[in-house]
Amino acid sequence: MKIYIKGTISTIIYNNESNGYTVGIFRIKETNSDDPSVKGSISFVGIFHELREKTNYIFYGNTKVHPKYGFQFEVNEYEVVKPSEKEDIISFLSSELFPIGEKTAEAIYKKLGDNAISKILDDKNVLVSIPRLKEGKINKIYEILKEYQDSNTIIIKMTELGFTLRQALSIYAKYKNSTLDIINDNIYMLLDSFDIPFMTIDDIALNMGIGSDDERRVLALIIYIISNICFSIGSTYVMYDEVMHELNKYVDN
């Protein structure tokens, strides 16, 4: 059974901005787990592209016992809960994500109703008639909602290419909305920043249509081959002919 917990983040204890690894405390409102330990507040760990306190999330994963930190919920997938009822929408729009308070959020709901989020995404100008809501804040609200929508699209696209969800989240945490541009420009650049096996990147690149003799691939292959040979023989240098011999196994002549 796929275990989920639904609720809010009460505290973020640790966050590594370079790879998205995060540790925090999650306040559970709902779960499908029968484990009595999965209730109230629970420690969680996982890779996230962005998290906000007081925002509603659903975390999917498994429980584990860390030898040092004890009982934890290890998150494999997650999503922001899209509010669909009055209290949820007002709570969402007045959370730390947005530059408005509860009264303005209530005014937005009163004007736009249960479909407030989708209406704003369709046309941000629906907010113009909200009292005391100036252009700068209207733009900010729209940009934040659009970013969440775009991030889900990007991450789904990456998993379709062949990245695991954990890899996709880690890459997105660094490059945000430029992620697909980076991948399309030179996917092999990811080898410098992330602990992703060369063959994983190479398989995805070839499936994307990159030629076997593409300059970007050949350069990455040379570095990969040299590293492998040096590691296997415990040396700091390698002969040119040896590199070329191995390279010819990967590149069509």
Side-chain angles (χ1 to χ4, degrees):
M1 180 180 67
K2 193 175 185 179
I3 299 175
Y4 76 84
I5 53 176
K6 179 180 179 181
T8 58
I9 296 167
S10 58
T11 306
I12 295 176
I13 298 172
Y14 171 79
N15 173 250
N16 185 325
E17 293 184 359
S18 65
N19 60 17
Y21 181 79
T22 304
V23 181
I25 303 298
F26 193 81
R27 185 175 292 114
I28 300 171
K29 296 179 181 178
E30 178 185 319
T31 181
N32 63 344
S33 174
D34 296 328
D35 189 334
S37 299
V38 184
K39 64 179 181 179
S41 293
I42 190 172
S43 171
F44 72 88
V45 295
I47 303 293
F48 303 87
H49 71 264
E50 185 176 29
L51 285 179
R52 299 274 185 166
E53 295 179 8
K54 300 179 182 179
T55 299
N56 290 315
Y57 291 95
I58 298 178
F59 288 172
Y60 301 95
N62 297 286
T63 58
K64 68 173 187 177
V65 179
H66 189 280
K68 182 176 180 180
Y69 301 108
F71 191 79
Q72 294 180 322
F73 191 86
E74 185 172 34
V75 182
N76 298 320
E77 302 175 47
Y78 74 102
E79 61 184 89
V80 178
V81 176
K82 294 181 179 179
S84 58
E85 298 179 357
K86 180 178 179 179
E87 289 185 5
D88 288 338
I89 292 171
I90 292 172
S91 175
F92 179 62
L93 290 175
S94 60
S95 70
E96 293 180 355
L97 281 171
F98 300 95
I100 59 175
E102 188 172 344
K103 289 185 177 180
T104 303
E106 288 175 349
I108 292 173
Y109 179 82
K110 185 175 180 181
K111 178 72 176 179
L112 303 178
D114 289 344
N115 295 319
I117 305 303
S118 60
K119 287 179 179 179
I120 296 169
L121 282 167
D122 288 340
D123 181 8
K124 64 182 178 181
N125 290 318
V126 296
L127 295 173
V128 170
S129 61
I130 305 299
R132 300 182 299 280
L133 198 55
K134 296 182 179 180
E135 183 180 0
K137 288 187 177 180
I138 289 174
N139 290 335
K140 188 67 175 177
I141 291 169
Y142 175 78
E143 288 166 4
I144 292 167
L145 289 174
K146 190 71 167 57
E147 182 181 350
Y148 269 101
Q149 185 182 58
D150 291 347
S151 67
N152 287 334
T153 300
I154 291 169
I155 290 167
I156 290 170
K157 176 63 176 177
M158 292 175 70
T159 58
E160 290 174 348
L161 287 173
F163 292 100
T164 66
L165 181 62
R166 181 177 291 270
Q167 290 166 349
L169 289 170
S170 182
I171 295 167
Y172 183 85
K174 180 173 182 177
Y175 294 116
K176 302 294 183 182
N177 287 350
S178 299
T179 298
L180 294 181
D181 291 334
I182 295 291
I183 291 171
N184 289 324
D185 182 56
N186 186 1
I187 189 173
Y188 294 97
M189 287 177 58
L190 301 179
L191 294 168
D192 296 331
S193 304
F194 302 95
D195 186 22
I196 303 176
F198 173 85
M199 296 311 299
T200 297
I201 296 291
D202 195 45
D203 285 344
I204 293 172
L206 293 173
N207 288 333
M208 288 172 59
I210 291 178
S212 67
D213 60 349
D214 186 288
E215 182 179 345
R216 297 165 295 180
R217 180 175 188 257
V218 172
L219 178 59
L221 272 168
I222 291 171
I223 295 171
Y224 170 70
I225 290 167
I226 291 174
S227 298
N228 275 357
I229 294 174
C230 288
F231 180 78
S232 64
I233 65 176
S235 176
T236 57
Y237 71 92
V238 60
M239 302 301 291
Y240 172 82
D241 289 344
E242 193 172 5
V243 174
M244 294 305 297
H245 174 74
E246 291 297 316
L247 185 61
N248 287 331
K249 295 179 181 179
Y250 295 94
V251 179
D252 294 335
N253 296 314

